[in-house]
Amino acid sequence: MKLYQDKNANTNVVTGYGDDHVMIGKVRHDGNLLVSAGRILAGWAPQAGGDLAGLRAEDLAQAAEFGAEILIVGTGRRQRFPQPQLLRPLVEARIGFEFMDFAAACRTYNILVGEGRAVALGLLYER
């Protein structure tokens, strides 16, 4: 029984995740993804291997195209960080950012999007 009104019925929220997928609403997505309240970009930030070696500044800059003021990036089971020079587009666009493990990133995104914040979630799977 539903006891509350769902105010986010048309908002992309994370409803589940695993080592190889994420559920946005009722839809399963495999592979790297960039998500905001109203958009989903599959195939985001193709990676080489199991590290952040394939991540480019242009990939992170796409958060601005999503209208994000905050970019949360999930980096798999463990928290990993990109090369500092890759963050320049985010700094120049005045977009806040944080790199977290998958679980923390998904929870944080859901909280911020639920508050109506302009947030994007980037998910980078370990290979």
Side-chain angles (χ1 to χ4, degrees):
M1 177 185 298
K2 193 173 189 179
L3 299 176
Y4 61 92
Q5 182 178 2
D6 186 0
K7 297 177 185 174
N8 294 322
N10 296 320
T11 301
N12 292 325
V13 293
V14 177
T15 56
Y17 57 86
D19 288 338
D20 63 347
H21 74 281
V22 66
M23 299 291 293
I24 305 295
K26 296 179 181 177
V27 180
R28 179 184 170 122
H29 296 272
D30 300 307
N32 295 351
L33 197 66
L34 184 62
V35 180
S36 69
R39 289 180 63 187
I40 298 175
L41 174 62
W44 175 70
Q47 287 180 244
D51 57 18
L52 300 179
L55 187 64
R56 302 168 304 155
E58 296 82 19
D59 298 324
L60 296 175
Q62 286 182 306
E65 296 172 20
F66 272 55
E69 295 174 358
I70 303 165
L71 173 63
I72 306 296
V73 180
T75 60
R77 285 187 174 186
R78 59 188 174 85
Q79 184 180 29
R80 298 176 291 157
F81 299 96
Q83 296 296 321
Q85 65 269 22
L86 296 180
L87 303 173
R88 180 171 302 281
L90 297 175
V91 172
E92 289 174 354
R94 301 180 60 88
I95 296 173
F97 55 87
E98 186 66 50
F99 288 74
M100 307 175 177
D101 65 63
F102 238 58
C106 290
R107 288 190 307 265
T108 302
Y109 168 79
N110 278 353
I111 290 168
L112 293 175
V113 81
E115 292 176 351
R117 304 283 301 272
V119 62
L121 173 65
L123 298 175
L124 299 169
Y125 288 88
E126 295 180 65
R127 303 277 182 242

